Amino acid sequence: MLKKLNWEIYTNKERITVIGQIKTIIAANGGHIMAHNMFSDLALFLSVEIEEQAVYKLYQQLNVIATVSKKISASDFKINSNKEWMVLMNITFAQGTGKMKSRIPEVPG
């Protein structure tokens, strides 16, 4: 059975930049985005699978670019464990307006 963590993440930074940074941090720690859902430009939900030994490092690196609501410590995790954890992230963008529109290019024909 997968262990789960629920993180509320808040940022005042630009959405596109932060999303790119989060994807890079997840990949650098051996994590995999299993599901995502964008809620306009206000919030993003990510479901990430990651080995237990990398969870705390992921947490530390995310805290550099944003604020993670749930406080954890290195002692909460087994340093050599390869067990999979599910980290559910609800990321809120303070600069969001709720009026995000995507431009779809016209297709000839």
Side-chain angles (χ1 to χ4, degrees):
M1 181 166 97
L2 289 177
K3 291 198 174 185
K4 292 183 187 177
L5 287 170
N6 293 306
W7 291 348
E8 294 286 334
I9 300 173
Y10 303 94
T11 183
N12 289 322
K13 298 177 183 170
E14 201 274 322
R15 178 178 57 88
I16 298 297
T17 302
V18 171
I19 291 172
Q21 292 172 330
I22 289 171
K23 286 172 37 179
T24 300
I25 290 170
I26 290 168
N29 286 287
H32 302 281
I33 298 172
M34 304 307 290
H36 70 280
N37 196 358
M38 178 71 78
F39 301 102
S40 185
D41 62 344
L42 296 172
L44 169 67
F45 168 80
L46 295 177
S47 173
V48 175
E49 279 192 13
I50 189 166
E51 288 183 356
E52 181 174 7
Q53 62 185 333
V55 173
Y56 186 68
K57 189 173 177 184
L58 174 69
Y59 168 80
Q60 287 180 308
Q61 291 176 0
L62 287 174
N63 261 316
V64 171
I65 63 165
T67 303
V68 181
S69 64
K70 182 166 178 73
K71 305 296 181 208
I72 61 174
S73 69
S75 63
D76 295 335
F77 306 96
K78 295 177 183 168
I79 200 161
N80 295 322
S81 175
N82 293 336
K83 289 186 180 178
E84 292 289 323
W85 279 58
M86 179 71 64
V87 180
L88 306 173
M89 302 178 192
N90 188 35
I91 306 158
T92 302
F93 304 100
Q95 293 183 8
T97 63
K99 299 177 183 176
M100 182 176 79
K101 293 182 181 178
S102 297
R103 295 186 79 183
I104 300 172
E106 291 185 33
V107 178

